[in-house]
């Protein structure tokens, strides 16, 4: 069964909901849709992979996607996005590499807008360029805030581990001391007891002091 894409009017409404394209007129929106490409995604499909070279940006038309950022061997969840959300615009605008990964968590439909189309859009006027800058700055601030929170949590985890180490060491030392004491007592008890010196008879007078 072939998936039925959203009608052009609905796509235009989705574009109008974004801060980047909200100021475009009908003709500009129509041109954007004409030059763009509809991409269908299944759950777990990867739309953007962190580190890849950017060649387009995306507008979510339908469904839900998850944005993650790599930290060592882990993927930090940054956000879940839905219809009207822009994805990949920062790397696409600067011609750099992807700053985060995006995957579908439900069936989704996105509009892929090539870099060349974005440049043509920026030539439309300063209002569009200003909207692009505002969107990019907002996205970077959100990403920075999420990563800072992650660093705080990691710092708390390190502090907790350090405290546990400090608390556990005295307990272990005390247990070792108790074991050593028990061993010493057992060793002392196992030694032969010395024979006491002979006592004088009970009727012997006490010795006179030599002082």
């Amino acid at each position: 069964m072939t998936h039925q894409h959203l009608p052009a009017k609905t796509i235009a409404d989705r574009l109008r909901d974004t801060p980047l394209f909200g100021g475009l007129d009908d003709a500009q929106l129509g041109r954007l849709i004409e030059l763009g490409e509809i991409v269908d995604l299944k759950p777990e499909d990867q739309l953007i992979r962190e580190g890849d070279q950017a060649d387009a940006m995306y507008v979510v038309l339908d469904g839900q996607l998850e944005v993650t950022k790599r930290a060592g061997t882990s993927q930090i969840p940054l956000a879940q996005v839905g219809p009207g959300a822009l994805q990949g615009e920062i790397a696409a605008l600067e011609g750099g590499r992807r700053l985060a990964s995006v995957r579908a968590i439900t069936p989704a439909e996105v509009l892929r807008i090539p870099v060349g189309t974005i440049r043509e859009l920026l030539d439309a006027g300063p209002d569009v360029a200003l909207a692009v800058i505002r969107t990019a700055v907002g996205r970077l601030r959100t990403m920075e805030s999420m990563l800072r929170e992650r660093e705080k949590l990691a710092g708390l985890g390190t502090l907790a581990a350090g405290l546990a180490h400090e608390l556990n060491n005295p307990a272990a030392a005390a247990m070792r001391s108790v074991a050593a004491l028990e061993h010493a007592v057992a060793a002392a008890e196992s030694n032969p007891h010395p024979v006491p010196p002979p006592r004088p008879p009970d009727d012997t007078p006490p010795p006179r002091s030599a002082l």
Side-chain angles (χ1 to χ4, degrees), residues 107-126:
E109 184 176 322
V110 301
L111 179 66
R112 179 182 181 274
I113 304 173
V115 170
T117 302
I118 300 172
R119 289 172 181 160
E120 180 181 321
L121 183 66
L122 293 176
D123 291 338

Side-chain angles (χ1 to χ4, degrees), residues 14-164:
R14 294 279 194 274
L15 293 174
R16 229 178 243 112
D17 288 339
T18 69
L20 187 57
F21 304 125
L24 300 184
D25 58 32
D26 290 342
Q28 290 171 324
L29 289 174
R31 176 68 174 164
L32 199 60
I33 295 170
E34 179 185 345
L35 296 176
E37 174 191 359
I38 301 293
V39 178
D40 295 316
L41 300 170
K42 303 186 296 297
E44 300 301 324
D45 279 356
Q46 195 88 18
L47 177 66
I48 294 173
R49 192 178 305 276
E50 184 178 352
D52 286 357
Q53 184 66 40
D55 59 354
M57 64 174 290
Y58 301 88
V59 181
V60 182
L61 302 177
D62 196 23
Q64 293 290 319
L65 296 91
E66 182 182 49
V67 184
T68 60
K69 177 76 176 170
R70 187 170 54 241
T73 58
S74 303
Q75 289 289 335
I76 306 171
L78 294 181
Q80 287 190 10
V81 297
L86 293 170
Q87 294 301 308
E89 75 281 1
I90 297 175
L93 290 169
E94 70 174 5
R97 297 191 176 276
R98 300 298 189 185
L99 303 179
S101 295
V102 182
R103 67 178 182 90
I105 55 179
T106 70
E109 184 176 322
V110 301
L111 179 66
R112 179 182 181 274
I113 304 173
V115 170
T117 302
I118 300 172
R119 289 172 181 160
E120 180 181 321
L121 183 66
L122 293 176
D123 291 338
D127 290 342
V128 176
L130 184 57
V132 169
I133 294 171
R134 286 173 177 164
T135 302
V137 169
R139 183 65 51 85
L140 287 172
R141 283 177 176 168
T142 299
M143 187 178 296
E144 180 187 18
S145 175
M146 293 293 294
L147 291 175
R148 285 185 181 277
E149 288 300 318
R150 175 73 179 194
E151 289 174 357
K152 288 179 183 177
L153 291 175
L156 287 175
T158 303
L159 177 61
L163 288 174

